[in-house]
């Protein structure tokens, strides 16, 4: 993360570079200064924002451990664990600490030797190191700087941006998440929402916020605000600047996600499918307290982790449709299935014709030996395995042929589903959704009708909330 984010010298007091942390901080400065973009921030704005940072940081650093403001100190500690405001040996005198913090944001001394700012290239006399710059080394790395170099040159605007970062990030007591997007409007929307959240943390503490919220939901709402679903890729950078075990996790959305969101919002059945997914992902504990927000968990499915450790929307829809916990009406199953196919088409670029193979599986479940419910369970156990699915399709082909029934698809139709190749597993998930929909349209009994009716009535009551939650502040709790 210490690679310079900008190469050309800046001509304004503050600019948003390509470095994700500096960029998030620059947008936070712009929002705090009530400017449209970081480039519109002037020296007076920097003075105002710096003054606010000094007040908030020093107040948090001397707050009692049971005070709400102390939670903001926890946020600062996760980002700047060795700074003057977070060090265990920091002054407990508010006035003394305030002076020490203010020194970090003083103007550059142009009479002293200057070097290009690490981020934006502006001449800078101050040099900062890991104690004040998040993710720039840790105590485990004694020194990765060249010999005789005490830190990275950072201009005043970027120093202020570095400490405005937690205002524009989605923060917890131990981590922060920032958003990078091809469209600046989404970045500003994400930061503006988090600035309001930061204010609540300072006044109410972290316990004053609603449970189950996630940075992904705020990011998706920001992408949804883009005009006409403009294509734009987004990246979430989540990190902890811990002294011993710092970490950085990166997840991304595809460029087509904003257009997909616009398509979903513009179609009643797709909106229904998305809300059904949100309802299915909502979790409460035994006391009824919310532990997983459906809108937040659904938004998370649109992000793909860089390390591959993330759930996909298609896999989640598959488990929601195929799992035994939910009974779906024909309409609701069709809405979820259509949502999966539209996502595959618009985001993944897939448009497979799975109806022939799905018809073979459905015919086998309906007319094969034994009960349809037992054969459906057998199919569910092999649905995502290329080899096992191929074996079942072969058995179904033989069974239908021996019974004198028509077979809607042959080996050439199976090929994309049973080979180990890109997008094969997504097609197997879509196949399962199609099979279940065909069975339900035919009226093949595979569940308890009474339980299905009761579950459907409960589900309908939960579909009244709008897409992605009530409003942009619903997860922040009451003021």
């Amino acid at each position: 993360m210490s690679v310079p984010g900008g190469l050309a010298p800046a001509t304004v007091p503050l600019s948003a570079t390509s470095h994700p942390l500096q960029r998030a901080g620059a947008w936070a400065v712009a929002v705090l200064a009530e400017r449209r973009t970081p480039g519109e921030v002037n020296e007076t704005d920097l003075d105002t924002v710096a003054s606010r940072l000094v007040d908030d940081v020093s107040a948090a650093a001397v707050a009692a451990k049971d005070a709400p403001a102390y939670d903001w100190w926890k946020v600062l500690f996760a980002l700047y664990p060795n700074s003057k405001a977070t060090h265990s040996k920091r002054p407990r005198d508010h006035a003394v600490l305030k002076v020490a913090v203010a020194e970090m944001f003083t103007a550059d001394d142009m009479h002293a030797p200057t070097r290009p700012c690490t981020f934006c290239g502006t001449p800078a006399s101050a040099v900062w190191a890991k104690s004040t710059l998040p993710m720039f080394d840790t105590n485990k790395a004694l020194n990765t700087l060249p010999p005789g170099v005490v830190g990275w040159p950072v201009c005043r605007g970027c120093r202020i941006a570095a400490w405005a970062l937690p205002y524009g990030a989605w923060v917890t007591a131990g981590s922060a998440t920032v958003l990078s997007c091809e469209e600046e409007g989404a970045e500003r929307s994400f930061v503006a929402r988090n600035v309001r959240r930061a204010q609540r943390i300072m006044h109410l503490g972290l316990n004053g916020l609603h449970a189950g919220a996630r940075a992904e939901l705020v990011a998706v709402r920001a992408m949804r605000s883009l005009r006409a679903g403009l294509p734009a890729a987004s990246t979430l950078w989540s990190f902890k600047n811990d002294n011993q075990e710092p970490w950085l996790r990166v997840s991304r959305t595809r460029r087509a996600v904003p257009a997909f969101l616009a398509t979903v919002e513009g179609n009643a059945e797709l909106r229904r499918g998305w809300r059904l997914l949100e309802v299915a992902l909502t979790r409460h504990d035994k006391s009824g307290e919310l532990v997983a927000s459906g809108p937040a968990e659904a938004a998370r499915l649109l992000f793909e982790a860089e390390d591959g450790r993330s759930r996909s929307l298609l896999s989640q829809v598959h488990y929601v449709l195929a799992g035994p916990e939910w009974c779906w009406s024909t309409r609701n199953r069709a809405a979820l299935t259509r949502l999966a196919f539209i996502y595959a088409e618009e985001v993944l670029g897939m448009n497979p014709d799975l109806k022939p193979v799905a018809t073979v599986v459905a015919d086998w479940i309906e007319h094969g030996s034994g009960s349809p419910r037992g054969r459906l369970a057998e199919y569910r156990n092999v649905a995502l395995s290329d080899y096992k699915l191929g074996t079942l399709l072969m058995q179904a082909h033989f069974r239908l042929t021996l019974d004198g029934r028509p077979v809607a698809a042959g080996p050439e139709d199976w090929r994309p589903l049973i080979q180990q190749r890109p997008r094969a597993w997504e097609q197997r998930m879509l196949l399962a959704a199609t099979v279940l929909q065909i069975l339900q349209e035919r009226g093949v009994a595979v569940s308890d009708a009474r339980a299905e009716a009761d579950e459907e009535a409960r589900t309908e009551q939960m579909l009244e909330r709008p897409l992605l939650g009530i409003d942009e502040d619903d997860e922040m709790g009451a003021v």
Side-chain angles (χ1 to χ4, degrees):
M1 296 294 293
S2 58
V3 177
L7 300 177
T11 58
V12 292
L14 178 67
S15 59
T17 72
S18 59
H19 191 291
L21 304 190
Q22 188 277 349
R23 188 174 185 85
W27 275 110
V29 172
V31 171
L32 291 168
E34 299 182 352
R35 299 296 181 183
R36 190 172 59 88
T37 66
E40 295 179 4
V41 172
N42 56 40
E43 292 288 355
T44 302
D45 295 328
L46 287 182
D47 292 339
T48 301
V49 174
S51 177
R52 175 169 178 174
L53 293 181
V54 171
D55 289 341
D56 291 345
V57 170
S58 56
V62 300
K65 290 188 176 182
D66 58 352
Y70 186 72
D71 281 355
W72 190 247
W73 180 86
K74 294 178 184 176
V75 170
L76 298 176
F77 181 77
L79 273 63
Y80 324 94
N82 301 306
S83 69
K84 296 177 181 179
T86 58
H87 198 280
S88 60
K89 296 181 180 179
R90 66 188 182 277
R92 293 308 198 271
D93 184 297
H94 183 268
V96 174
L97 183 60
K98 191 171 182 179
V99 172
V101 173
E103 290 175 352
M104 297 194 301
F105 309 122
T106 56
D108 288 285
D109 183 359
M110 292 297 103
H111 298 292
T114 62
R115 301 175 181 85
C117 174
T118 301
F119 299 102
C120 67
T122 297
S125 61
V127 290
W128 274 14
K130 55 194 173 188
S131 63
T132 45
L133 285 176
M135 295 305 288
F136 274 67
D137 291 341
T138 72
N139 281 352
K140 279 190 171 182
L142 296 181
N143 195 355
T144 61
L145 292 165
V149 178
V150 296
W152 290 270
V154 187
C155 70
R156 187 189 186 216
C158 289
R159 279 183 275 133
I160 294 173
W163 278 72
L165 168 66
Y167 293 81
W170 174 270
V171 293
T172 69
S175 67
T177 301
V178 302
L179 173 73
S180 299
C181 184
E182 291 179 327
E183 288 295 320
E184 291 186 347
E187 292 180 325
R188 194 186 200 288
S189 175
F190 182 83
V191 168
R193 162 63 177 71
N194 289 329
V195 166
R196 294 193 296 274
R197 184 171 181 268
Q199 293 170 341
R200 295 199 178 196
I201 293 174
M202 291 179 211
H203 288 92
L204 301 175
L206 291 165
N207 289 335
L209 304 180
H210 202 285
R214 300 191 62 91
E216 290 87 350
L217 179 59
V218 183
V220 169
R221 284 172 171 164
M223 286 186 280
R224 182 178 64 170
S225 68
L226 296 177
R227 62 186 184 279
L230 187 69
S234 296
T235 303
L236 284 178
W237 311 77
S238 300
F239 69 96
K240 181 178 182 180
N241 194 33
D242 185 82
N243 277 337
Q244 299 301 317
E245 297 295 337
W247 51 261
L248 171 67
R249 297 168 188 157
V250 182
S251 60
R252 297 182 172 88
T253 64
R254 297 172 184 261
R255 298 190 75 243
V257 164
F260 167 72
L261 293 171
T263 299
V264 170
E265 287 203 280
N267 183 280
E269 289 307 301
L270 290 177
R271 288 198 305 273
R272 185 180 188 86
W274 185 272
R275 277 295 297 133
L276 288 165
L277 180 61
E278 291 180 343
V279 168
L281 294 175
T282 301
R283 294 288 183 271
H284 296 84
D285 61 19
K286 294 181 179 179
S287 65
E289 292 294 322
L290 181 71
V291 294
S293 162
E297 294 300 314
R300 187 183 182 188
L301 299 174
L302 297 174
F303 286 84
E304 300 174 23
E306 194 174 59
D307 61 5
R309 298 179 182 179
S310 56
R311 295 177 298 164
S312 74
L313 186 142
L314 288 186
S315 65
Q316 195 60 60
V317 171
H318 169 79
Y319 290 119
V320 166
L321 284 172
E325 316 91 78
W326 292 90
C327 299
W328 303 106
S329 68
T330 302
R331 180 186 179 187
N332 286 344
R333 188 175 296 281
L336 281 164
T337 301
R338 187 177 180 191
L339 178 71
F341 272 87
I342 292 297
Y343 178 83
E345 179 180 354
E346 295 202 0
V347 178
L348 302 179
M350 298 171 56
N351 191 20
D353 180 12
L354 301 175
K355 192 70 174 287
V357 180
T359 300
V360 170
V361 178
D363 287 345
W364 173 76
I365 291 173
E366 183 177 8
H367 301 295
S369 59
S371 70
R373 187 167 184 171
R375 286 189 296 277
L376 177 61
E378 185 179 344
Y379 168 61
R380 183 175 63 195
N381 289 335
V382 307
L384 300 185
S385 168
D386 50 0
Y387 174 78
K388 292 179 180 179
L389 177 61
T391 301
L392 184 142
L393 287 170
M394 182 181 67
Q395 293 174 350
H397 192 107
F398 275 114
R399 180 74 269 166
L400 294 173
T401 301
L402 291 172
D403 289 347
R405 295 184 180 277
V407 182
E412 286 303 313
D413 299 298
W414 311 347
R415 190 184 302 275
L417 297 159
I418 63 177
Q419 290 182 328
Q420 293 184 353
R421 69 177 195 176
R423 299 299 176 215
W425 68 270
E426 288 99 336
Q427 292 200 49
R428 289 193 287 271
M429 290 179 180
L430 294 172
L431 175 69
T434 308
V435 169
L436 291 169
Q437 186 173 349
I438 291 173
L439 290 173
Q440 196 158 20
E441 289 172 352
R442 292 180 179 180
V444 179
V446 291
S447 62
D448 186 329
R450 181 173 180 178
E452 179 175 327
D454 293 342
E455 186 64 40
E456 191 61 32
R458 186 174 72 89
T459 300
E460 288 298 321
Q461 293 178 350
M462 294 187 286
L463 291 179
E464 297 178 359
R465 285 170 58 100
L467 212 67
L468 298 173
I470 296 175
D471 56 50
E472 68 172 1
D473 292 330
D474 63 341
E475 75 274 26
M476 290 199 290
V479 179

